[in-house]
Amino acid sequence: MANELSLNYTPFTKQIEAHGIIEPIAGYFGGWGSGKTTWLIAEAFRNSCYMPGLPGIVASPTFPIQRKTLYPTIVSIFPGASRWPRGSDSARRCLGPLVREWVAQDKVLVLDIGDPSSPIKRGGTDWYFGSLDDPGSIEGGTYAWGAMDEGRLASHDAWRVFNSRIRDPHAQVHRRSVAGVPAMGWMHEEFNRGIPGRRFVRASSQDNPNLPEDYADSLNLTGRLALAYIHGH
């Protein structure tokens, strides 16, 4: 059964800490290779298991970035997944038994989580994929949860629109998960100003045990660049 499957994902300490954030708006901010996108997809999956049948939105700064980051991450951690479907490919055959279908035109991934008693009576759980370079493109939807990747590359207006759409009345928790390299701008305004309901965990590239041992040294970064892109400051 699909609801007995689990992700190919063993979180390390910082990821576990970020999953444990109890505030509705959770950030996982870190350097390159600190497991941010993997954490984000695991957050989305957990939301779907907790609230089967309720739709969520998974957003990136642009669709090309999404194809380079979110799609490969899903393939890497979904059980039985081998590649992203194209054309007439069977989504289930490509992405494994967790997936019911991929509606490429609308960029909706339907997970086989839910049953006829779920709020969506047909069963299944929809993940809508959105692009933040045009905030108006994500207007109109109502979601139970949201997951935003590479937040520093999005505008504050994009965040406001994204945040405003997480309001499904059936949802027990309206979780917003944000992953990215930290940066001044809207991420600082939203997470470092003491606004209630927000908390983040900071991670370093060196916190990820899955990276090569010499990864951080190979970047050859010093000073402010090392603080931002290795240590997540």
Side-chain angles (χ1 to χ4, degrees), residues 27-49:
Y28 183 58
F29 304 150
W32 289 333
S34 56
K36 301 179 296 296
T37 303
T38 305
W39 171 84
L40 192 74
I41 295 300
E43 282 274 298
F45 179 70
R46 182 176 67 173
N47 291 333
S48 293
C49 291

Side-chain angles (χ1 to χ4, degrees), residues 173-189:
V173 178
H174 295 101
R175 179 78 159 186
R176 292 89 151 171
S177 306
V178 183
V181 174
M184 295 300 290
W186 77 263
M187 294 173 74
H188 176 74
E189 294 294 323

Side-chain angles (χ1 to χ4, degrees), residues 25-118:
I25 299 178
Y28 183 58
F29 304 150
W32 289 333
S34 56
K36 301 179 296 296
T37 303
T38 305
W39 171 84
L40 192 74
I41 295 300
E43 282 274 298
F45 179 70
R46 182 176 67 173
N47 291 333
S48 293
C49 291
Y50 184 60
M51 297 179 286
L54 296 183
I57 183 167
V58 184
S60 292
T62 67
F63 285 125
I65 289 175
Q66 195 169 96
R67 288 192 291 271
K68 296 174 184 176
T69 57
L70 296 181
Y71 292 8
T73 300
I74 289 172
V75 170
S76 72
I77 67 175
F78 271 34
S82 57
R83 61 184 175 85
W84 199 262
R86 294 184 178 183
S88 60
D89 290 343
S90 163
R92 194 176 186 89
R93 186 171 300 155
C94 293
L95 294 175
L98 279 177
V99 173
R100 181 177 295 183
E101 62 178 315
W102 164 243
V103 185
Q105 180 176 353
D106 299 324
K107 290 184 168 54
V108 180
L109 186 68
V110 185
L111 270 60
D112 205 4
I113 299 174
D115 55 51
S117 66
S118 300

Side-chain angles (χ1 to χ4, degrees), residues 127-202:
W127 287 15
Y128 289 84
F129 287 75
S131 175
L132 298 167
D133 60 341
D134 177 11
S137 70
I138 59 175
E139 288 274 20
T142 298
Y143 309 102
W145 54 267
M148 177 187 285
D149 196 31
E150 298 293 353
R152 71 185 174 92
L153 301 179
S155 68
H156 206 164
D157 280 346
W159 160 256
R160 292 185 181 109
V161 174
F162 171 88
N163 192 29
S164 74
R165 309 319 303 177
I166 315 303
R167 61 191 193 200
D168 190 300
H170 297 100
Q172 297 167 285
V173 178
H174 295 101
R175 179 78 159 186
R176 292 89 151 171
S177 306
V178 183
V181 174
M184 295 300 290
W186 77 263
M187 294 173 74
H188 176 74
E189 294 294 323
E190 293 286 341
F191 285 91
N192 279 325
R193 298 285 187 175
I195 301 174
R198 292 152 168 77
R199 191 163 75 84
F200 70 93
V201 167
R202 194 186 305 278

